[in-house]
């Protein structure tokens, strides 16, 4: 069975990677999909995000990383996936995700949204927290995969230099 795991991943965190690892054990194939998120001003371009995620998931043989301009359900259909994986951290995620899941069900009844509880260690973790911490020079080694740590630090430095110029 095939699933997709959509999101912004700006950047991928250890919380995302925890979900990817667990989902990759349940499904034969998992597509991690970087979607367009119009409300978010992103740190990394979509190409960069795809590259960063690809680096982190190379050890999982059944995970493919792509980007899409489509809605999650359309992308799922395109990939012959019957499941959309969502990670749930707290009650605050639930409202929004539940709404999206119901809307998706209306669009395509053949695709199920499956919620996975965040790993215990990662319930507080979001890409926004990572960016905020990195911006203030805090240590983010426990938040992002080691494979991308330098990229995040360099990008934040580069942004700061741009702002101060
Ligand atoms: P965010 O910017 O909030 O980190 P994304 O759009 O990148 O969110 O998240 C993609 C998916 O991963 C969503 O289903 C989101 O709920 C989930 N997710 C985000 N962070 C975590 C985490 N720390 N643990 C589990 N799931 C997470």
């Amino acid at each position: 069975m095939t699933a997709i795991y959509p999101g912004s991943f700006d950047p991928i965190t250890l919380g995302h990677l925890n979900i990817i690892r667990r989902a990759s054990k349940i499904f034969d194939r998992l597509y991690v999909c970087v979607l367009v998120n119009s409300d978010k001003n992103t740190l990394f371009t979509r190409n960069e995000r795809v590259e960063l995620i690809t680096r982190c998931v190379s050890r999982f043989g059944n995970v493919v990383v792509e980007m899409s301009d489509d809605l999650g359900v359309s992308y799922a259909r395109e990939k012959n996936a019957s499941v959309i994986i969502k990670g749930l951290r707290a009650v605050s995620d639930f409202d929004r995700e539940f709404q999206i899941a119901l809307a998706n069900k209306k669009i395509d009844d053949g695709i199920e949204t499956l919620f996975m509880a965040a790993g215990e260690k990662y319930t507080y973790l979001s890409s926004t927290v990572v960016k905020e911490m990195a911006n203030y020079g805090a240590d983010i080694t426990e938040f992002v995969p080691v494979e991308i740590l330098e990229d995040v630090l360099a990008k934040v430095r580069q942004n700061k230099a741009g702002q101060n110029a």
Side-chain angles (χ1 to χ4, degrees):
M1 204 187 265
T2 301
I4 69 160
Y5 178 42
S8 329
F9 307 104
D10 184 45
I12 181 171
T13 68
L14 287 175
H16 294 130
L17 195 57
N18 175 267
I19 298 282
I20 293 170
R21 183 181 55 76
R22 289 157 55 204
S24 76
K25 285 198 215 155
I26 301 171
F27 294 94
D28 300 309
R29 182 171 282 256
L30 179 69
Y31 287 93
V32 177
C33 181
V34 180
L35 297 177
V36 192
N37 190 334
S38 42
D39 337 312
K40 288 190 187 168
N41 238 337
T42 60
L43 181 64
F44 289 98
T45 66
R46 275 204 299 159
N47 276 318
E48 287 170 333
R49 283 177 271 153
V50 167
E51 198 274 313
L52 294 176
I53 304 167
T54 304
R55 221 188 288 162
C56 300
V57 304
S58 62
R59 70 190 115 124
F60 309 118
N62 60 345
V63 178
V64 178
V65 186
E66 291 184 348
M67 64 175 97
S68 170
D69 292 324
D70 285 338
L71 267 179
V73 270
S74 318
Y75 176 78
R77 184 56 72 186
E78 197 185 297
K79 294 294 163 190
N80 267 328
S82 46
V83 173
I84 300 177
I85 302 279
K86 289 294 178 85
L88 278 189
R89 284 160 289 192
V91 184
S92 51
D93 277 343
F94 182 80
D95 265 356
R96 192 179 55 115
E97 294 296 355
F98 193 63
Q99 241 180 2
I100 296 173
L102 289 180
N104 282 343
K105 194 95 186 136
K106 277 248 178 284
I107 298 169
D108 192 330
D109 198 29
I111 294 173
E112 289 292 343
T113 300
L114 206 77
F115 293 109
M116 291 182 70
E120 198 185 356
K121 282 176 8 203
Y122 307 118
T123 49
Y124 63 91
L125 192 52
S126 68
S127 300
T128 309
V129 164
V130 167
K131 285 181 275 193
E132 197 72 3
M133 302 286 260
N135 215 14
Y136 286 103
D139 183 5
I140 57 163
T141 46
E142 287 189 30
F143 302 158
V144 296
V146 64
E147 294 90 333
I148 69 155
L149 180 62
E150 277 311 315
D151 300 75
V152 177
L153 297 176
K155 185 66 120 181
V156 168
R157 271 198 303 271
Q158 183 190 325
N159 271 9
K160 276 197 158 170
Q163 278 159 15
N164 295 332

